[in-house]
C-alpha cells in the first residue's frame, strides 16, 4: 500500500491538473463533471498523503523534527481536504459559475474560514512535505535534487495553475525513489 501511495498520489494530482485545464476550456471553471472529478482526484491524493507522510517520518528516523513535520502536514491535509470538499459541494448546489462565486463569497465571509481553509493553514501541507524531504536529503536517503522537485511541484502552480500537471510529474519523479525504499530496503542509503 505504501509503495502504491507514493506513485498514485502524484498521478491523482496530475489527473486533477489535467481535469482543471479541461474544465477551463469554456472560459470558466465549474460546476460540472470536470470540476467534480478533478476535485475528487485531488481528495484521493490527499488521502494517500497520510501513509506517505507517516512513511517519510519513519524513513527520517521518527525524531522530533520529523514528527512535528508530520503533525503540521496532517493539519494541512485536513485543511486542504475541507477546502476541496467545500468546492465539490458548491459545485453541486450551484446551477452555474456565477452562483458558485456567490456561495464561495458566503463561505469565505465566515470568520476564520479564510485563514483555516483557504489561506494560511493549507500551506502547512506543502511546507511540511518540503521539511520532510529536506531531512531525508540531509540524511542522504534521497538524492540531493529531490527537494528541488518537491518545491517545483507546489511552486509552479503559484506561478500558473495550469502548470499543476508538470508539478505533479516532478513530484512523481521525486517519489519514485521513495517508493523503491519502502519495505525491507527502506534503510538503504542513496548516493548523492
Amino acid at each position: 500500500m505504501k509503495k502504491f501511495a507514493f506513485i498514485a498520489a502524484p498521478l491523482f494530482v496530475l489527473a486533477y491538473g489535467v481535469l482543471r485545464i479541461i474544465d477551463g476550456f469554456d472560459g470558466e471553471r465549474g460546476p460540472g463533471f470536470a470540476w467534480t472529478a478533478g476535485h475528487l482526484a485531488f481528495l484521493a491524493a490527499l488521502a494517500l498523503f497520510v501513509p506517505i507522510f507517516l512513511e517519510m517520518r519513519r524513513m527520517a528516523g521518527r525524531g522530533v523534527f520529523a514528527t512535528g513535520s508530520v503533525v503540521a502536514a496532517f493539519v494541512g491535509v485536513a485543511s486542504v481536504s475541507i477546502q476541496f470538499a467545500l468546492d465539490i459541494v458548491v459545485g453541486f448546489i450551484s446551477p452555474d459559475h456565477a452562483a458558485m462565486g456567490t456561495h464561495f463569497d458566503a463561505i469565505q465571509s465566515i470568520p476564520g474560514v479564510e485563514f483555516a481553509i483557504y489561506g494560511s493553514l493549507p500551506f502547512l501541507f506543502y511546507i511540511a512535505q518540503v521539511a520532510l524531504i529536506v531531512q531525508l536529503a540531509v540524511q542522504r536517503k534521497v538524492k540531493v535534487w529531490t527537494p528541488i522537485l518537491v518545491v517545483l511541484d507546489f511552486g509552479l502552480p503559484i506561478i500558473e495553475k495550469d502548470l499543476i500537471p508538470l508539478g505533479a510529474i516532478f513530484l512523481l519523479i521525486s517519489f519514485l525513489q521513495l517508493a523503491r525504499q519502502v519495505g525491507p530496503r527502506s534503510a538503504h542509503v542513496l548516493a548523492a
Side-chain angles (χ1 to χ4, degrees):
M1 172 63 178
K2 291 175 187 172
K3 283 185 184 193
F4 170 80
F6 278 109
I7 295 166
L11 293 177
F12 277 121
V13 174
L14 176 65
Y16 166 68
V18 170
L19 286 164
R20 186 186 175 283
I21 291 170
I22 292 169
D23 188 29
F25 282 166
D26 63 357
E28 298 179 335
R29 290 200 165 77
F33 173 78
W35 173 269
T36 303
H39 281 72
L40 287 172
F42 201 84
L43 280 172
L46 288 170
L48 291 169
F49 268 99
V50 171
I52 286 170
F53 285 135
L54 290 172
E55 183 63 15
M56 289 171 78
R57 175 185 171 265
R58 188 195 64 71
M59 288 177 179
R62 296 184 175 102
V64 173
F65 184 74
T67 301
S69 296
V70 169
V71 169
F74 287 169
V75 171
V77 166
S79 181
V80 176
S81 296
I82 293 167
Q83 179 186 134
F84 273 70
L86 286 171
D87 288 356
I88 291 170
V89 170
V90 167
F92 275 130
I93 65 173
S94 301
D96 57 30
H97 184 74
M100 288 177 67
T102 303
H103 290 300
F104 282 128
D105 289 344
I107 291 168
Q108 292 175 7
S109 69
I110 299 169
V113 168
E114 182 64 35
F115 170 80
I117 308 301
Y118 292 97
S120 300
L121 289 185
F123 283 104
L124 290 176
F125 169 71
Y126 303 103
I127 293 167
Q129 192 176 158
V130 171
L132 284 163
I133 205 74
V134 165
Q135 186 173 359
L136 291 172
V138 167
Q139 295 174 354
R140 300 177 58 97
K141 294 180 180 172
V142 296
K143 306 272 186 184
V144 294
W145 46 261
T146 306
I148 296 167
L149 293 181
V150 172
V151 168
L152 284 172
D153 168 51
F154 71 84
L156 287 173
I158 292 171
I159 298 166
E160 169 58 52
K161 290 194 184 221
D162 286 347
L163 294 175
I164 291 171
L166 180 59
I169 291 168
F170 288 140
L171 186 65
L172 177 62
I173 293 167
S174 65
F175 276 10
L176 283 174
Q177 63 184 302
L178 291 169
R180 285 192 293 265
Q181 295 183 56
V182 173
R185 294 181 51 201
S186 60
H188 179 69
V189 175
L190 294 176

